[in-house]
Amino acid sequence: MQAFIINGPMRLAGTIRISGSKNAALPILAAALLTDEPITLHDVPPLRDITNMRALLTELGCESATQPDGSLTLTPSSTSNSHARYDIVRTMRASVCVLGPLLARRGEARVAMPGGCAIGTRPIDLHLQGLTALGAEISLEGGDVVARAQRLKGTTVFLGGPFGSTVLGTANVMSAATLAEGVTVIESAACEPEIVDLAAVLNAMGAHIRGAGTPRITIEGVSSLHGAEHRILPDRIQAGTYMLASAITAGDVRLDNCPLDSLLAVEDRFQAAGFTINRLDDTQPAGRCSITIHTGGERAGPIRLTTQPFPGYPTDLQAQMMALLTLARGNSVVTEKIFPERFLHVPELGRMGAQVFRQGPTVVISGVDRLVGAPVMASDLRASASLVLAGLAAEGKTTISRIYHLDRGYDRMDERLRALGASIQRVEEDDL
Ligand code: UD1
């Protein structure tokens, strides 16, 4: 296993281009199972989760190849295997997004039941409820969810759960409904930009989807889908992470290809903390721009923050914002409403001198004047990113072990931060 060694504190400066979104790309790759024709995707990020999804699709009879221009082409060739094995699903929960496409196109899907993960129990009951409403028969066989249907039938599906809607559940039901007979209406659909991007690809493949990005999505089923070409939207979570990296180091970082319009709740919290986001131009394609973050050399002011479904503040940026707030000029309050157990970073930040007090889904953070470097352990993707941010601002050496979590969701984070002036090295843990 590998680790990062960071020597701080430092001030980041320079320009970074935001990559394509991991969470948009994963269900879009799975959507290739809905057609016999090639799908070409641009801006697919070079991440471990994407490699895992490509390996899963290969097993399911859909080959993928990177083209000389960097695009990815997916070519379905065989429909003989519809089994997503536990070996792959347990490394990446997002494997569950092959369920809807396999069922709709092949009449049967067998997907290993994803277990819990570091951030909570993460059930898939809403996915199954939605597919059942479309006429699928679902059973659990040897730890696998098995879904069968001759042809799915459109209906009204309600996808609201105790923590709001479900992003991948919406992706699964929307993808499956493209090939259903008749009209499907998803009520309480997830409104995340990644769902809008998936709908854009499906429509480019010949689907008839309206309302993606709102809580009501209407899908008129068609008998088949064809090939398409699409550019994946930029990664709002990666953008937010580098915005926070710039802010925590009082840096001067410019972000290109930044999806600021899908980060308005984050911009709002930056403003509450006393920082300004400058939008530099609007000449880039829709939904993308360049920005800088202005801190005026000041530490963040204390804020209150509650994570919510989009367009609220994203749970995937809660841990990184908490790193910033450990150094704020007062007491901040963070409440996690999507994954109430998502606080594995709290004790690790405490090892670096942060004053953090958790009560259930709420954490009070009393800002301190300095963090000190320490050996800490990465536990999940976004918690790991928060430790990197804390390490950039902390005095002395921070060693973050188990960074394979980070490689799932941030491409070359060490190289990218080095290019902005950080002292960060990737080492083998055995060499420590
Ligand atoms: C996606 C994102 C993840 C993000 C999350 C919430 C991907 C690959 N992952 O995960 O990064 O943190 O959205 O924005 O896109 N729930 C149920 N029943 C279900 C499904 C979900 O109760 O059937 C609950 C979950 O436990 C959680 C909440 O609903 O409390 C939201 O989960 P969901 O939107 O489904 O997360 P994912 O789509 O798995």
Side-chain angles (χ1 to χ4, degrees), residues 23 122-126 163 166-168 315-316 338-339 342:
N23 287 355
R122 305 194 75 175
I124 58 163
D125 56 312
L126 296 169
F163 303 99
T166 161
V167 178
L168 290 182
T315 174
D316 285 351
I338 310 293
F339 294 109
R342 190 175 205 173

Side-chain angles (χ1 to χ4, degrees), residues 34-35 104-105 151-154 174-184 201-209 218-226:
L34 288 163
T35 175
R105 181 82 177 90
R151 186 169 179 203
L152 298 169
K153 287 202 172 47
M174 184 170 78
S175 298
T178 59
L179 291 179
E181 191 186 329
V183 176
T184 300
V201 182
L202 292 170
N203 281 341
M205 292 165 71
H208 293 161
I209 302 174
T218 306
I219 306 123
E220 220 176 293
V222 295
S223 55
S224 65
L225 295 175
H226 50 71

Side-chain angles (χ1 to χ4, degrees), residues 17-22 25 43-52 54 66 70 72 235 238 406-413 416 426:
R17 181 183 185 274
I18 300 307
S19 319
S21 160
K22 167 179 90 71
D43 256 349
V44 177
L47 296 170
R48 179 170 298 206
D49 270 8
I50 299 292
T51 313
N52 285 340
R54 288 177 63 178
T66 307
L72 186 73
D235 193 320
Q238 188 196 73
L406 272 169
D407 293 332
R408 284 187 39 228
Y410 293 93
D411 57 296
R412 301 171 293 111
M413 193 180 207
R416 286 168 155 252
R426 182 185 288 261

Side-chain angles (χ1 to χ4, degrees), residues 164-379:
S165 191
T166 161
V167 178
L168 290 182
T170 301
N172 254 328
V173 175
M174 184 170 78
S175 298
T178 59
L179 291 179
E181 191 186 329
V183 176
T184 300
V185 178
I186 306 179
E187 295 285 4
S188 198
C191 302
E192 270 66 4
E194 294 76 17
I195 294 296
V196 178
D197 214 36
L198 173 61
V201 182
L202 292 170
N203 281 341
M205 292 165 71
H208 293 161
I209 302 174
R210 280 178 289 122
T214 76
R216 175 182 292 160
I217 302 178
T218 306
I219 306 123
E220 220 176 293
V222 295
S223 55
S224 65
L225 295 175
H226 50 71
E229 186 165 352
H230 179 77
R231 180 172 298 279
I232 305 286
L233 91 173
D235 193 320
R236 64 194 169 102
I237 305 303
Q238 188 196 73
T241 303
Y242 286 111
M243 285 160 69
L244 285 158
S246 184
I248 200 172
T249 64
D252 183 15
V253 177
R254 171 187 163 125
L255 273 63
D256 288 342
N257 198 39
C258 177
L260 188 60
D261 290 344
S262 50
L263 284 164
L264 296 183
V266 177
E267 184 175 15
D268 174 71
R269 292 298 81 193
F270 267 75
Q271 282 167 353
F275 300 155
T276 316
I277 312 268
N278 304 308
R279 188 188 283 254
L280 299 182
D281 68 75
D282 280 319
T283 57
Q284 299 177 33
R288 299 153 160 89
C289 63
S290 293
I291 63 162
T292 55
I293 298 97
H294 184 67
T295 63
E298 292 287 331
R299 287 161 56 188
I303 61 167
R304 277 172 297 176
L305 171 77
T306 302
T307 63
Q308 288 173 325
F310 189 83
Y313 190 93
T315 174
D316 285 351
L317 284 171
Q318 177 254 109
Q320 302 90 314
M321 178 60 93
M322 197 180 290
L324 178 77
L325 298 178
T326 62
L327 290 166
R329 291 175 275 116
N331 297 332
S332 300
V333 182
V334 170
T335 302
E336 174 56 64
K337 287 270 180 100
I338 310 293
F339 294 109
E341 298 298 322
R342 190 175 205 173
F343 288 118
L344 289 166
H345 44 290
V346 165
E348 300 302 301
L349 290 171
R351 289 175 52 72
M352 301 175 72
Q355 294 288 319
V356 268
F357 309 96
R358 180 180 166 199
Q359 280 278 329
T362 296
V363 174
V364 175
I365 305 121
S366 296
V368 292
D369 290 340
R370 54 195 280 269
L371 294 176
V372 279
V376 289
M377 198 198 294
S379 51

